[in-house]
């Protein structure tokens, strides 16, 4: 039964424009505004993610080291910061001639050297890789000989590897390639497999393989003690630059790098690409899904 205004008797009290009881409200395709988290709530999460990433980078990829002495002048100065590639050794690549490498003290080479005493904040920052290593007993030298090489110094030089004289423009000005002394500066050594022979660029101011021939490794550095290759001088900014292998180590007869080792150096780039691709695909799918949700349900029907 209808009332005079055209409404059913049971509709009294229902405001005009409001749905009647028992009927469904229309569904719209718009979504309410997303409530964003407070910046201060997200900040601890962001800091935590940054610390985890820094720790992972320091452990597996790159670590900063501070140069503690003058033994690598003029290539490196005391106080320089270098970045060391720690990823390539994970793929089985071993140090090559001419590379500047950081390695753990093989057998008390640093005896008598002062040990830095960082404060607690420096210890934490060093541990996660945001500051150079502070307490680790590490050294940095240039690789001269690898497993199977014969390295020789007679008189003031030149230094020879497998009978080939090296042209060494990186040697500190005023130094001779070989040191004339009876402490270890004159030598002929055969480097065993799994070891390297290292020397500082400041030849007359470097306690390197020459002067540690009485240790258990006869002055050699085990490859498993090598942290990685120094690839960049990162600080101070006016000394920024890469640390390439000098051309003298490319001369015929030295067999500097095998094809297998060359393929290993390309492995990190391939791994990086493989790691990035799934993330990019996931972000694209997520964006498409959110865009579809914002448009709302699509009506379907028969023509």
């Amino acid at each position: 039964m209808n009332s005079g205004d055209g409404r059913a008797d049971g509709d009294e009290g229902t405001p005009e424009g409001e749905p009647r009881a028992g009927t469904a409200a229309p569904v719209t395709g718009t979504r309410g505004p997303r409530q964003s988290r407070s910046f201060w709530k997200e900040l601890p999460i962001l800091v935590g993610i940054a610390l985890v990433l820094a720790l992972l980078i320091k452990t597996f990829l790159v670590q900063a080291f501070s140069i503690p002495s003058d033994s690598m002048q003029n290539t490196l100065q005391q106080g320089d910061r270098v970045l060391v590639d720690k990823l390539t050794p994970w793929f089985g690549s071993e140090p090559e001639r001419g590379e500047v490498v950081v390695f753990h003290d093989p057998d008390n080479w640093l005896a008598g050297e002062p040990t830095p005493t960082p404060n607690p904040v420096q210890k934490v920052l060093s541990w996660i890789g945001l500051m150079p290593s502070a307490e680790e007993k590490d050294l940095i030298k240039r690789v001269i000989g690898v497993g199977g090489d014969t390295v020789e110094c007679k008189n003031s030089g030149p230094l020879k590897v497998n009978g080939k004289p090296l042209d060494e423009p990186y040697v500190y000005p005023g130094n001779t390639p070989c040191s004339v002394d009876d402490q270890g500066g004159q030598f002929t050594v055969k480097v065993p497999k799994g070891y390297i022979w290292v020397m500082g660029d400041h030849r007359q101011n470097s306690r390197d393989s020459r002067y540690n021939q009485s240790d258990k490794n006869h002055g050699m550095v085990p490859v498993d003690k090598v942290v990685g290759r120094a690839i960049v001088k990162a600080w101070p900014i006016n000394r920024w630059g890469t640390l390439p292998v000098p051309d003298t180590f490319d001369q015929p007869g030295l067999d500097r790098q095998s094809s297998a080792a060359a393929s290993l150096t390309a492995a990190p780039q391939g791994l990086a690409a493989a790691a990035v691709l799934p993330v990019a695909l996931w972000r694209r799918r997520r964006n498409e899904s959110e865009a579809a949700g914002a448009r709302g349900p699509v009506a379907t029907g028969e023509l």
Side-chain angles (χ1 to χ4, degrees), residues 132-197:
S133 175
E135 291 185 313
E136 296 174 2
K137 293 186 176 181
D138 300 318
L139 300 97
I140 185 166
K141 306 289 181 188
R142 189 179 299 276
V143 179
I144 301 298
V146 296
D149 286 347
T150 297
V151 185
E152 177 183 7
C153 253
K154 288 184 178 179
N155 301 318
S156 59
L159 175 65
K160 293 182 179 180
V161 177
N162 298 331
K164 302 289 184 179
L166 299 182
D167 176 22
E168 301 183 283
Y170 46 80
V171 170
Y172 186 75
N175 280 190
T176 55
C178 298
S179 300
V180 182
D181 59 50
D182 58 359
Q183 306 300 313
Q186 303 287 290
F187 62 88
T188 299
V189 296
K190 176 82 170 181
V191 184
K193 294 293 184 182
Y195 291 82
I196 56 176
W197 179 269

Side-chain angles (χ1 to χ4, degrees), residues 75-253:
T75 304
L76 298 171
Q77 302 286 355
Q78 185 173 353
D80 283 356
R81 265 58 168 179
V82 297
L83 299 182
V84 174
D85 167 25
K86 301 177 69 174
L87 177 61
T88 304
W90 285 85
F91 291 87
S93 179
E94 294 189 354
E96 296 289 336
R97 302 182 196 93
E99 294 180 348
V100 177
V101 298
V102 171
F103 55 94
H104 298 312
D105 190 338
D107 188 27
N108 211 25
W109 285 21
L110 294 174
E113 294 292 331
T115 302
T117 53
N119 59 45
V121 174
Q122 290 174 323
K123 288 182 180 180
V124 172
L125 294 178
S126 175
W127 180 70
I128 63 178
L130 296 180
M131 281 189 64
S133 175
E135 291 185 313
E136 296 174 2
K137 293 186 176 181
D138 300 318
L139 300 97
I140 185 166
K141 306 289 181 188
R142 189 179 299 276
V143 179
I144 301 298
V146 296
D149 286 347
T150 297
V151 185
E152 177 183 7
C153 253
K154 288 184 178 179
N155 301 318
S156 59
L159 175 65
K160 293 182 179 180
V161 177
N162 298 331
K164 302 289 184 179
L166 299 182
D167 176 22
E168 301 183 283
Y170 46 80
V171 170
Y172 186 75
N175 280 190
T176 55
C178 298
S179 300
V180 182
D181 59 50
D182 58 359
Q183 306 300 313
Q186 303 287 290
F187 62 88
T188 299
V189 296
K190 176 82 170 181
V191 184
K193 294 293 184 182
Y195 291 82
I196 56 176
W197 179 269
V198 298
M199 297 172 67
D201 290 354
H202 197 335
R203 291 291 158 81
Q204 274 77 62
N205 189 22
S206 176
R207 186 169 179 80
D208 45 42
S209 290
R210 298 170 295 171
Y211 301 106
N212 288 283
Q213 295 183 63
S214 61
D215 73 3
K216 65 180 182 181
N217 301 309
H218 306 291
M220 314 292 174
V221 178
V223 168
D224 60 12
K225 290 284 188 179
V226 176
V227 176
R229 174 186 173 184
I231 52 176
V232 172
K233 290 179 288 185
W235 190 262
I237 196 66
N238 64 330
R239 286 183 46 76
W240 188 96
T242 58
L243 295 167
V245 173
D247 292 340
T248 189
F249 293 96
D250 286 325
Q251 61 178 297

